[in-house]
Amino acid sequence: MKDLWAETKEKPKDKKKILIIALIAILVIAFIVILIFYIKNENIRLWIDKNILRKEILQEQVAYIELEDENAQSYAYSQYLGVLSKNNFDIYNSSGNKEATLDLQITTPLFSANDRFLAVADKGGQKAYLITNKIVQWEKKVEGNISQIYVNKNGFVAIVITNTIYKTVIEMYNPEGEQLFRTFLSSTLTSDISISDDNKYLAIAEIDTSGTTIQSTVKEISVEKSQQDSTESIEKTYKSESGRLITNISYQNKNKLLCMYTDAISIMSDGKEEVINQNTDKRVNFSSIELSNSSVILEEKSSGLFTADSILRIINSENREEKEYKVGEVTKNLYAREDMIALNLGTEIEFVNSGGWLVKKYIANQEITNIVLSNQLAGIVYRNKIEIIKL
């Protein structure tokens, strides 16, 4: 009699267990089916992004900062938005609340940001600053005129200086503001600079215009050797074909050095140059190497008699895998930082990550002309205000 009672008592428990397992299995299957439709079907993806994931944001829904000075300069870095006006650098959070004001003696700013570090210099002037989050880490006054500044993710800064006895001087500083070394270029111009993530190398893109054709060269300099003897510090030299113009260089993850020309993007490694994208015979409107581990190319393709699509190709620098993102409009401008890409479509902006997925879509009531972008937020800059979008 006891055994029969125990058996009948266990049956409801078994049924409940089976019911839970079945319910979980149904939910997993449903999730997989929805995911497949989300990936494969564009119309379903657009509906889910808008109505379920709430990725669409209207202009009247966002926080904003009012600008009293129409000539104010803005920049986004980390989780902050900075506004420079009359030597005051106001720092705002993603809610539009002011968190700090710094005194920067800057007339025409040059900005460079990486993670929590922001380097600011006076273009054509002599002042340079390193900001860490909301404080000034150090400030410097150089001899000559500053033309470029760069900071890596660890706070190491390189400054390009012109109008000295040399054609170009490059100074490098550690995060505490101590000068590590100076290097000199006597006959070439500096197109761009970059510092590796491990702080071991400084890359310099040089352009020689003294001959009948342009000659572009990239040099990798050892930071350690430069502190001992700058004349013996060059580790590798990459000399491009004559006539090719280099525009940007950028160290990405694992010290991969990307190089952007007017017609191609290459990776420099072990003394060799590998082209990963050639723009010949393509209608490429924009390209960028300012991501953490990818490069982006935006092509325009005709979709009708008077219409065109924007095809965004994202190329992983490590495994060369490509992701594609399509927009059914012509893109007015492209911005890229760390893991985030912003496509300005006129009165809309689509924010896409380096995996090729839509993060946010912003819809405005007016034409958008300027965007400042970090990995965590974007500022939509208008004449009298800046609207802030948290990404």
Side-chain angles (χ1 to χ4, degrees):
M1 190 72 177
K2 273 187 179 181
D3 292 341
L4 183 61
W5 172 252
E7 189 178 329
T8 54
K9 196 175 182 181
E10 288 296 325
K11 281 182 181 179
K13 287 186 179 180
D14 291 343
K15 286 182 180 178
K16 188 177 180 181
K17 193 174 181 181
I18 292 168
L19 188 63
I20 291 170
I21 292 170
L23 186 61
I24 292 171
I26 291 168
L27 290 173
V28 169
I29 293 168
F31 176 79
I32 292 171
V33 170
I34 292 170
L35 185 63
I36 291 169
F37 276 111
Y38 182 83
I39 294 170
K40 299 292 184 181
N41 191 298
E42 186 178 350
N43 292 328
I44 291 176
R45 182 165 62 251
L46 290 172
W47 188 88
I48 291 174
D49 283 343
K50 180 180 178 180
N51 298 288
I52 297 177
L53 300 180
R54 304 292 181 185
K55 292 184 178 182
E56 190 173 289
I57 303 171
L58 303 179
Q59 184 172 13
E60 51 269 21
Q61 296 174 323
V62 301
Y64 66 90
I65 302 164
E66 291 185 354
L67 297 177
E68 296 179 3
D69 179 9
E70 291 185 12
N71 297 316
Q73 301 290 317
S74 58
Y75 201 79
Y77 68 102
S78 185
Q79 56 187 321
Y80 304 109
L81 180 72
V83 179
L84 180 65
S85 173
K86 299 172 184 176
N87 296 332
N88 288 326
F89 188 67
D90 295 327
I91 300 173
Y92 298 86
N93 60 26
S94 59
S95 300
N97 299 319
K98 187 191 294 186
E99 296 205 353
T101 298
L102 306 178
D103 179 26
L104 303 184
Q105 299 300 309
I106 299 288
T107 303
T108 306
L110 292 168
F111 293 107
S112 175
N114 213 320
D115 198 20
R116 60 195 176 99
F117 296 102
L118 174 66
V120 189
D122 194 7
K123 184 178 182 181
Q126 298 176 308
K127 283 279 193 176
Y129 301 83
L130 177 65
I131 297 168
T132 307
N133 289 325
K134 298 178 287 183
I135 64 168
V136 175
Q137 190 78 22
W138 53 254
E139 64 176 275
K140 297 291 174 184
K141 186 176 181 180
V142 304
E143 295 179 6
N145 302 115
I146 299 173
S147 62
Q148 294 179 58
I149 193 166
Y150 178 86
V151 62
N152 79 348
K153 68 177 185 179
N154 302 312
F156 285 76
V157 176
I159 303 173
V160 179
I161 305 164
T162 57
N163 293 335
T164 67
I165 58 172
Y166 296 93
K167 193 144 191 172
T168 304
V169 177
I170 301 174
E171 297 180 352
M172 186 164 171
Y173 297 86
N174 66 15
E176 288 72 43
E178 299 168 348
Q179 187 181 110
L180 300 177
F181 67 88
R182 302 175 85 201
T183 189
F184 309 93
L185 307 178
S186 58
S187 60
T188 56
L189 298 171
T190 304
S191 172
D192 200 13
I193 52 175
S194 187
I195 303 170
S196 62
D197 285 349
D198 61 7
N199 320 314
K200 291 182 178 180
Y201 302 102
L202 168 69
I204 305 171
E206 301 178 31
I207 298 174
D208 188 351
T209 58
S210 60
T212 55
T213 57
I214 292 172
Q215 179 61 61
S216 297
T217 305
V218 177
K219 292 178 181 176
E220 280 192 285
I221 294 176
S222 166
V223 173
E224 184 180 357
K225 290 180 180 178
S226 292
Q227 294 176 71
Q228 311 301 324
D229 182 2
S230 61
T231 61
E232 298 294 330
S233 61
I234 298 175
E235 291 283 299
K236 295 181 181 70
T237 300
Y238 303 90
K239 195 171 183 179
S240 67
E241 294 177 14
S242 181
R244 298 186 70 194
L245 180 61
I246 190 169
T247 57
N248 295 94
I249 56 173
S250 178
Y251 276 110
Q252 297 191 346
N253 292 347
K254 299 181 180 178
N255 286 355
K256 291 182 293 294
L257 181 58
L258 268 70
C259 175
M260 190 162 78
Y261 297 90
T262 52
D263 62 350
I265 294 175
S266 300
I267 292 182
M268 313 292 198
S269 179
D270 298 324
K272 298 177 182 178
E273 180 177 1
E274 178 192 355
V275 177
I276 60 172
N277 183 75
Q278 188 75 44
N279 296 347
T280 311
D281 300 328
K282 295 177 184 176
R283 193 170 177 179
V284 174
N285 288 10
F286 304 100
S287 55
S288 176
I289 55 174
E290 300 300 321
L291 294 171
S292 297
N293 200 36
S294 303
S295 56
V296 292
I297 298 97
L298 191 135
E299 301 175 32
E300 187 180 306
K301 290 189 176 180
S302 175
S303 58
L305 191 59
F306 301 107
T307 58
D309 294 333
S310 294
I311 310 298
L312 182 69
R313 291 172 51 223
I314 306 165
I315 306 169
N316 186 286
S317 302
E318 192 167 349
N319 55 26
R320 311 298 187 270
E321 183 182 358
E322 286 196 24
K323 301 287 186 182
E324 191 174 284
Y325 184 86
K326 180 181 172 183
V327 182
E329 298 180 50
V330 174
T331 300
K332 305 290 190 299
N333 212 335
L334 178 145
Y335 306 80
R337 288 283 298 279
E338 296 182 41
D339 189 46
M340 196 64 58
I341 305 156
L343 305 177
N344 181 358
L345 307 175
T347 57
E348 296 180 4
I349 304 171
E350 294 196 11
F351 297 95
V352 183
N353 64 24
S354 58
W357 295 104
L358 179 70
V359 176
K360 289 281 173 67
K361 182 177 182 178
Y362 166 83
I363 301 175
N365 302 320
Q366 61 202 97
E367 192 76 12
I368 301 161
T369 58
N370 189 22
I371 303 167
V372 290
L373 180 71
S374 78
N375 206 44
Q376 299 183 46
L377 62 80
I380 316 304
V381 184
Y382 297 104
R383 183 180 56 83
N384 59 351
K385 67 176 179 177
I386 303 174
E387 295 177 348
I388 303 175
I389 301 169
K390 191 173 181 180
L391 301 173

